[in-house]
Every structure is written in C-alpha cells, then in structure tokens.
Amino acid sequence: MKISITSKLDGIRSWSLQALDTCPGSIDAGELVDACKGCYATTDNYRFPNVKAPRAHNKLDWQRLEWVDDMVLELRKDKFFRWFDSGDMYSLGLAEKIFQVMTLTPWVNHWLPTRVHKFPKYRVVLEKMKALKNASIRFSSDSVLGEYTKNLHGSVIIPTPNDIKKGMKLCEAYANNGKCSGCRACYDKKIKVIAYPAHGVSMHKVIRIIKAA
Ligand code: SF4
C-alpha cells in the first residue's frame, strides 16, 4: 500500500484515494455538493502525477486478500492515523476492511472523515466503527457556510474563523501556517464538531457565489 505523509498533519501518515471518483457522497441531485465544489483535493498539487499515482495504486491494492494484515503491520508504530486526506469509502468492502484495520490496531487513534453516511448500506459498518474507542468517525456536512445537523455531522466548513459558533471547535491550522502544530482535535471523538475555515481560492470563490445567490 502507499501511505502518504502530509506536512499539514505534523507528519501524521494517511491512506488516500483519488478524490471525486471515489466520493459517492460528493454528488446530490446530479450536482457536486457545495463542500466538494472547491475541494482542495481536486486542485493544486493534488493534480500532479506523483500525488495521483499512489491514490490510483491504493484503489486496486485494498482489494488484496492480505491488505488488512499488511496495514496492521504498517501501522505498528503509529499513534495517529488519518484516513482519506482525499477520496472516500466508495465501496462497502473497503469500509469493512478499514473497520478490521481499526479493530486490530487499538494503539492507533484513527480519524476518518466521510460522506458515505448518506447511503443506508453503510449504516451498520459506520456504527461499528463509531463504537470503537480508537476511531473518530466524522460525518462531513455538505455546507460551506457552517450549517450542520447536531448529533449527525462531525465536521463542517465555515467561511472565516469569525463564523465559529457555540458547539463547534475551531480548526486553527490557518493560524499556524496551515499545520496542525500539535492539535489532535480531529482524532478526539469527545469533540463533536470541528469547523474548518475555508481555504484556497476555489473554495472562497464557491462561497462568494453561494452567498450572492
Ligand atoms: S482541528 Fe486540529 S487536528 Fe484537526 S485539522 Fe485542524 S489543527 Fe489539525
């Protein structure tokens, strides 16, 4: 498998797939949902072949019989792990395997953001993941204006840090050169909702268009 290391995440490792074509929850009524319209994973350096190739590799690789065992071995020294810096659990089979990896690596704090909660077939496996002590499963809101459903969503985009509301934990990476800088809130299942200030030219353009409509 191809593991990525993202400087934004203080060097915490992640496993990802190519965005959009593995993101069934990115489409609603035939249109990209707002949060995915300016998705960072379809722009900038995510377009480069050296970033795309490992994600394409992983899409085939997870289907190997030995993949779960190999992932468990790979994670033997990790304290934190991020699933899907880009992409999502497009397959129920993949979700079941990730659940097995989480179960077999109790020393790792897993963070997994997803939009597949929109599909009933994922309900059972997502409930199983959520019941694990070492897994923070965050259902992403489609809003870029800070709208979310309490007790359902675990993350949402807000236009600016000033749009933070009660009940949300502000992601302060924007104040630290875009890096987590020791914060591990996303991996902490006690923290119910994280609010990420929009970043990137595309996302701000999307917000301008939505606000003007
Ligand atoms: S909330 Fe904390 S852990 Fe999550 S992305 Fe922001 S800085 Fe990183």
Side-chain angles (χ1 to χ4, degrees):
M1 80 287 303
K2 304 279 188 200
I3 303 289
S4 317
I5 302 178
T6 318
S7 61
K8 182 203 168 205
L9 302 176
D10 297 345
I12 286 173
R13 306 196 307 153
S14 58
W15 186 92
S16 292
L17 294 172
Q18 189 63 32
L20 297 184
D21 62 338
T22 63
C23 300
S26 67
I27 307 285
D28 194 7
E31 251 200 70
L32 267 184
V33 300
D34 291 342
C36 299
K37 281 180 184 152
C39 172
Y40 63 92
T42 63
T43 55
D44 304 332
N45 66 337
Y46 283 81
R47 286 193 188 132
F48 293 127
N50 64 333
V51 177
K52 281 177 100 165
R55 286 163 171 75
H57 169 91
N58 283 342
K59 194 173 175 191
L60 291 176
D61 190 54
W62 74 262
Q63 301 176 46
R64 286 186 301 114
L65 269 181
E66 308 81 12
W67 185 80
V68 170
D69 289 342
D70 289 352
M71 277 301 291
V72 172
L73 193 61
E74 181 68 37
L75 298 188
R76 66 194 179 282
K77 290 188 181 156
D78 294 76
K79 286 204 174 99
F80 295 90
F81 194 74
R82 158 83 186 261
W83 293 92
F84 301 110
D85 187 46
S86 64
D88 202 349
M89 291 188 293
Y90 69 100
S91 151
L92 195 53
L94 170 60
E96 289 288 357
K97 282 195 172 185
I98 291 175
F99 169 68
Q100 287 178 39
V101 174
M102 290 171 166
T103 306
L104 293 168
T105 54
W107 61 90
V108 181
N109 293 285
H110 296 266
W111 163 27
L112 188 153
T114 185
R115 290 180 204 281
V116 300
H117 58 279
K118 298 175 181 181
F119 307 106
K121 69 176 181 179
Y122 286 93
R123 198 167 293 148
V124 173
V125 68
L126 288 172
E127 283 309 314
K128 287 194 295 185
M129 284 181 180
K130 282 191 140 192
L132 295 172
K133 280 196 181 121
N134 62 324
S136 169
I137 312 300
R138 297 195 176 275
F139 295 174
S140 308
S141 161
D142 289 338
S143 171
V144 292
L145 302 178
E147 292 158 4
Y148 70 97
T149 304
K150 213 175 155 193
N151 297 325
L152 174 70
H153 295 126
S155 60
V156 64
I157 295 169
I158 52 176
T160 72
N162 293 334
D163 296 300
I164 190 80
K165 294 199 188 84
K166 200 170 162 246
M168 298 171 172
K169 155 86 179 107
L170 178 64
C171 169
E172 294 183 67
Y174 71 91
N176 296 303
N177 285 330
K179 296 194 195 318
C180 292
S181 303
C183 172
R184 298 290 180 264
C186 291
Y187 308 81
D188 184 347
K189 59 195 295 162
K190 291 194 294 300
I191 297 179
K192 296 293 176 210
V193 181
I194 313 260
Y196 304 97
H199 64 99
V201 176
S202 314
M203 189 58 86
H204 284 292
K205 192 172 161 196
V206 169
I207 290 173
R208 271 200 309 278
I209 293 168
I210 292 169
K211 281 188 164 174

